[in-house]
Amino acid sequence: METPKMLRNILFLLLVSTLSVSAAAQSSAWPSPNKPITFINPFPPGGAVDAFGRPLAKQLSTQLNDSIVVDNRGGAGGTVGAAAAAKMAPDGYTWLLGAVHHSIAPSMYVNLPYDITKDFEPIAIIGSVPHVIVVNPTKFPKNDLKSIMEAIRKNPGKYNYASTGNGTSQHLAGELFKMQNKLFITHIPYRGTGPALQDLVAGQVDMMFDTLAGAAPFIKSGQLIAVAVASNKRSEAFPNVPTAQELGISGFVVSSWYAMWAIKGTPKDIVEKMSNEVQIALASPEIKERWAGLGASVPKMTRPELATYINQEIVRWSEVVKKSGAKLD
């Protein structure tokens, strides 16, 4: 008569034991002593990397039941913070947030104190926002891409484009467009997106190759006209804006992407754990909704595919820098 009761007790003990082992395995990914996880953001607070990094950190903090601190260490186009991160202990408690700028930096800065491909291990692209060609409505006779290009060809040197600074993706997107289409447009660098867009809206400059997220409010208000998006497909946020490829400009695909890296040497089980948790976070309804508001998508890539992509981006932007003669301030 006691046998069923004994069996229930044994099964209960086995279940408790299994759950305890599972919990121990989960917590053991991060070694003792347990401490807050730090995401180093090598750009100033309030920028695009913060826009993606902070919501991600919050979501991961909930998933991991652990505190995650975002440490902004801005300076020199993201290179100061990246150099600091490269010197941190690879114990799984420090991670690097970054962006497309880290694939541009090797060709813009001499003697970088770190190597993004050797000192770090890519974890995931956490967001990607296409660039868009926007113009001031009063600057061109007709505000479609072919007419704009024709006006530039007929008046070499008359027109200019704003960027968020020398060596930024907005700058090099403009240089790539010029090179691909053999156009002469004067580059006007600004210190940040805000001042550049303000002068574009005011008519102080003619056009810009900004990210869709940055230009979106001005496109919606009619202060700027979006003539083409630099992506393989139209943006869901602006389905009426054609891609450059649809308009006959092949190869003009530019995005500002944002990524997360582990410090080289971080234990494999921790890298695997964080990688899996990031993918879960990016698939959450909260993150999806927020990214949609930024006009962002998350390209599906494995870690090896991401490493290959970053190397391709380094080569691509190196060629643009070399051919255009782009230099820092």
Side-chain angles (χ1 to χ4, degrees):
M1 297 296 293
E2 293 295 317
T3 301
K5 184 177 180 181
M6 289 176 62
L7 284 174
R8 285 199 300 271
N9 289 339
I10 292 170
L11 289 172
F12 175 77
L13 289 171
L14 285 173
L15 177 61
V16 170
S17 175
T18 301
L19 290 173
S20 298
V21 170
S22 176
Q26 182 174 1
S27 63
S28 67
W30 273 264
S32 296
N34 192 273
K35 57 185 178 181
I37 296 168
T38 297
F39 287 178
I40 291 182
N41 175 0
F43 297 95
V49 176
D50 258 3
F52 290 94
R54 288 186 180 274
L56 177 63
K58 182 179 179 182
Q59 180 66 29
L60 286 170
S61 180
T62 300
Q63 290 175 200
L64 295 170
N65 193 27
D66 204 346
S67 59
I68 298 179
V69 177
V70 178
D71 183 5
N72 292 85
R73 299 195 183 192
T79 63
V80 171
K87 296 177 182 177
M88 298 290 184
D91 58 6
Y93 286 100
T94 305
W95 306 77
L96 175 69
L97 299 175
V100 61
H101 302 293
H102 288 101
S103 67
I104 295 171
S107 58
M108 295 295 295
Y109 291 85
V110 180
N111 299 323
L112 277 179
Y114 69 93
D115 187 319
I116 195 67
T117 63
K118 294 179 180 179
D119 295 327
F120 299 95
E121 182 177 350
I123 295 298
I125 279 190
I126 61 175
S128 181
V129 181
H131 282 238
V132 61
I133 304 173
V134 286
V135 300
N136 182 290
T138 68
K139 291 296 183 174
F140 295 94
K142 294 181 180 179
N143 288 310
D144 63 88
L145 186 58
K146 289 187 177 180
S147 296
I148 288 168
M149 290 172 62
E150 188 61 28
I152 293 170
R153 285 199 178 95
K154 289 181 178 178
N155 301 277
K158 174 183 176 181
Y159 296 100
N160 55 45
Y161 76 95
S163 82
T164 56
N166 287 321
T168 62
S169 59
Q170 287 88 342
H171 172 203
L172 297 184
E175 293 303 308
L176 177 63
F177 184 78
K178 286 164 58 177
M179 288 164 46
Q180 287 180 334
N181 298 287
K182 298 179 173 59
L183 299 173
F184 177 21
I185 320 170
T186 303
H187 171 227
I188 309 294
Y190 286 80
R191 293 189 179 276
T193 301
L197 285 169
Q198 287 171 13
D199 269 11
L200 180 57
V201 169
Q204 300 300 315
V205 285
D206 304 319
M207 61 192 302
M208 190 172 175
F209 300 84
D210 196 18
T211 64
L212 192 58
F218 302 95
I219 298 170
K220 290 177 180 177
S221 68
Q223 293 171 287
L224 297 177
I225 293 179
V227 295
V229 64
S231 57
N232 288 316
K233 61 180 182 179
R234 296 192 182 197
S235 166
E236 292 182 6
F238 294 93
N240 294 327
V241 180
T243 67
Q245 187 165 334
E246 287 178 68
L247 300 175
I249 312 300
S250 61
F252 187 63
V253 177
V254 182
S255 65
S256 279
W257 49 265
Y258 306 91
M260 180 178 173
W261 286 263
I263 299 168
K264 198 68 148 185
T266 300
K268 290 183 179 180
D269 60 333
I270 297 179
V271 168
E272 195 71 34
K273 172 70 174 175
M274 182 62 85
S275 177
N276 291 337
E277 292 294 336
V278 167
Q279 295 305 323
I280 293 170
L282 293 173
S284 68
E286 295 84 359
I287 293 292
K288 282 187 170 183
E289 182 179 356
R290 194 174 188 109
W291 272 215
L294 294 170
S297 61
V298 181
K300 293 188 180 300
M301 293 187 196
T302 63
R303 293 203 305 275
E305 287 170 342
L306 175 54
T308 298
Y309 176 70
I310 291 171
N311 281 320
Q312 291 172 341
E313 286 282 271
I314 290 171
V315 171
R316 180 194 195 193
W317 294 122
S318 176
E319 292 174 352
V320 173
V321 169
K322 183 178 180 180
K323 291 179 180 178
S324 68
K327 296 183 184 299
L328 294 172
D329 294 333

